[in-house]
């Protein structure tokens, strides 16, 4: 039996097969095309470079990382590149730059990057520049992580009534705002929580705490303390591997997960047990399965990661998912019956950006796989599949197909790799030792200096 390809190569192959370069571009003005006056017909093939940052960490049953990879697509590497990771799984093979819409849509003549463009100056590397896509609503994961962690530490309680700003604003417990923000991605709830955190000096602490965990590319800057709004690409930052490591921490594991640049050991206990349980429940309750998993659009999309859609959002008579006032109109029950995993995740989707990140765990009786995946991209609602190039309306109108189906195909490829890799290795680090080319770092015995099991992955330099 042939061994599965190494993870980095598998991720690149999944992106290459997705052929994102064949997407059609509805243009930079949201909602104008298709259907607007002066819109090209059919919609033209994408000409602006699409940025994709995709990271996966394969976990064994004990929560040890047994394989990891981060790959990127952009104008400089249209066929993709594997990003160098250090022994702590930090992406050190790229210089992450702040997002700039004018740079993306401004054509080939661009000013040189400056020091102010760096997302994490302390981590600046000798590798290629990569303009990090805005995480869209995926940044709400950072808020939820901080709120749950600080509540477990006693800084405030989740039962505390929190008032929405303005006359006649709603008052609800913090935990209710948190549920709305995470499960149905309620922007109003996110603004309420950010305002609450600003008033306690907790937004600055959020950024500081993430930096102290070695996750310094995860930041929320520039939001308005008065109303919690002003969410600006280039000011709210995330990168795929740091999101993946954050989710690894949420998933939990034994021993040292990684060490920070200062040498501090990051243990699962950095997120107290009650906070972990609540955060996992919020991620499990994610309503939208339309990117890496596709159950929300059951029958209209490739299967994607074969994940359960939470029944709390399903119409008991029709099986259609209803998120707020939006009904997706497709019976989800056949896809739930075929589900093989739980996908505890958060999505983000805007006109210019699409993101999805979470923890995948096999359901009882299904082939074992357990992994963390994080996808950030500039392939938002603006970019439609070729079959929609001549449609009179955007597929998001009416059919609610708001993002390309090609990410679901990427999700399916990742899940298939994880099943095959786990089957060959028995789901353990030791069983994988011969199949991935040796450790990413460590001493003579293959173990890392941190004392944890090594990550058996071979990551070429870009």
């Amino acid at each position: 039996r042939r061994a599965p390809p190494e993870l980095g190569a598998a991720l690149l192959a999944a992106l290459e097969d997705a052929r994102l370069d064949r997407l059609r571009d509805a243009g930079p003005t949201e909602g104008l095309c298709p259907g607007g006056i002066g819109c090209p017909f059919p919609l033209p093939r994408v000409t602006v470079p699409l940025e994709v940052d995709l990271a996966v960490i394969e976990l064994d049953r004990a929560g040890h990382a047994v394989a990891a990879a981060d790959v990127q697509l952009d104008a400089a590497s249209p066929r993709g590149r594997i990003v160098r990771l250090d022994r702590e799984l930090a992406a050190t093979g790229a210089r992450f730059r702040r997002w700039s819409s004018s740079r993306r849509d401004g054509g080939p003549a661009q000013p040189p990057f400056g020091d102010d463009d760096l997302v994490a100056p302390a981590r600046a590397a000798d590798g290629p520049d990569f303009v990090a896509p805005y995480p869209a609503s995926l940044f709400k994961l950072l808020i939820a992580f901080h709120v749950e962690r600080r509540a477990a530490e006693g800084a405030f309680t989740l039962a505390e009534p929190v008032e929405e700003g303005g006359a006649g604003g709603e008052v609800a417990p913090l935990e209710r705002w948190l549920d709305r923000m995470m499960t149905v991605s309620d922007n109003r709830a996110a603004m309420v929580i950010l305002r609450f955190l600003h008033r306690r000096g907790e937004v600055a602490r959020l950024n500081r705490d993430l930096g102290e965990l070695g996750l310094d590319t995860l930041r929320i800057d520039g939001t308005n303390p008065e109303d919690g709004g002003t969410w600006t690409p280039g000011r709210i930052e995330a990168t795929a591997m740091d999101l993946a490591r954050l989710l690894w921490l949420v998933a939990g594991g034994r021993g040292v997960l990684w060490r920070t640049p200062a040498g501090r050991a990051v243990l699962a206990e950095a997120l107290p047990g009650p906070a972990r349980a609540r955060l996992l429940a919020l991620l499990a309750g994610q309503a939208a399965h339309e990117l890496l998993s596709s159950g929300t659009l059951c029958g209209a999309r490739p299967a994607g990661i074969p994940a359960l859609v939470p029944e709390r959002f399903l119409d008991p008579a029709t099986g259609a998912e209803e998120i707020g006032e939006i009904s997706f109109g497709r019976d989800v029950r056949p896809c739930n019956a075929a589900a093989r995993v739980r996908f505890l995740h958060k999505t983000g989707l805007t006109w210019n950006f699409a993101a999805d990140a979470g923890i995948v765990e096999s359901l009882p009786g299904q082939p074992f796989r357990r992994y963390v995946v994080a996808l950030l991209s500039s392939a938002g609602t603006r970019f439609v599949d070729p079959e929609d190039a001549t449609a009179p309306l955007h597929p998001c109108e009416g059919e609610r197909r708001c993002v390309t189906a090609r990410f679901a195909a990427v999700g399916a490829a990742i899940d298939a790799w994880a099943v095959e890799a786990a089957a060959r290795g028995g789901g353990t680090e030791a069983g994988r030792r011969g199949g991935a080319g040796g450790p990413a770092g460590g001493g003579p015995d293959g173990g890392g200096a941190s004392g944890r099991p090594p990550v058996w992955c071979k990551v070429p330099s870009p």
Side-chain angles (χ1 to χ4, degrees), residues 279-377:
L279 188 49
L280 288 170
L282 288 171
L283 292 168
Q286 164 69 223
H289 285 258
E290 57 182 340
L291 275 90
L292 291 171
S293 58
S294 56
T296 293
L297 297 167
C298 186
R301 285 287 161 86
I305 294 173
L308 283 171
V309 176
E311 292 199 6
R312 66 183 273 195
F313 299 110
L314 303 188
D315 183 298
T318 67
E321 187 171 16
E322 298 179 350
I323 303 177
E325 297 180 355
I326 299 173
S327 176
F328 286 83
R330 296 183 179 276
D331 190 347
V332 171
R333 291 171 295 189
C335 290
N336 269 3
R340 300 291 181 262
V341 300
R342 291 197 313 157
F343 188 19
L344 296 77
H345 67 132
K346 181 74 188 77
T347 62
L349 184 61
T350 70
W351 186 251
N352 284 301
F353 305 98
D356 198 355
I359 304 159
V360 177
E361 299 177 339
S362 49
L363 291 170
Q366 298 301 324
F368 176 78
R369 76 276 249 167
R370 189 172 186 229
Y371 59 93
V372 170
V373 57
L375 167 78
L376 297 165
S377 82

Side-chain angles (χ1 to χ4, degrees), residues 178-185 281-282 285-288 312-313 323:
L178 198 61
D179 179 80
R180 293 180 194 174
M181 179 185 74
M182 290 297 290
T183 61
V184 299
S185 205
L282 288 171
Q286 164 69 223
R312 66 183 273 195
F313 299 110
I323 303 177

Side-chain angles (χ1 to χ4, degrees), residues 193-212:
I193 296 173
L194 274 171
R195 179 172 175 264
F196 170 84
L197 294 176
H198 270 297
R199 293 193 167 192
R200 287 159 176 76
E202 290 286 339
V203 175
R205 176 161 186 152
L206 179 156
N207 289 327
R208 184 173 68 251
D209 286 357
L210 289 172
E212 289 177 354

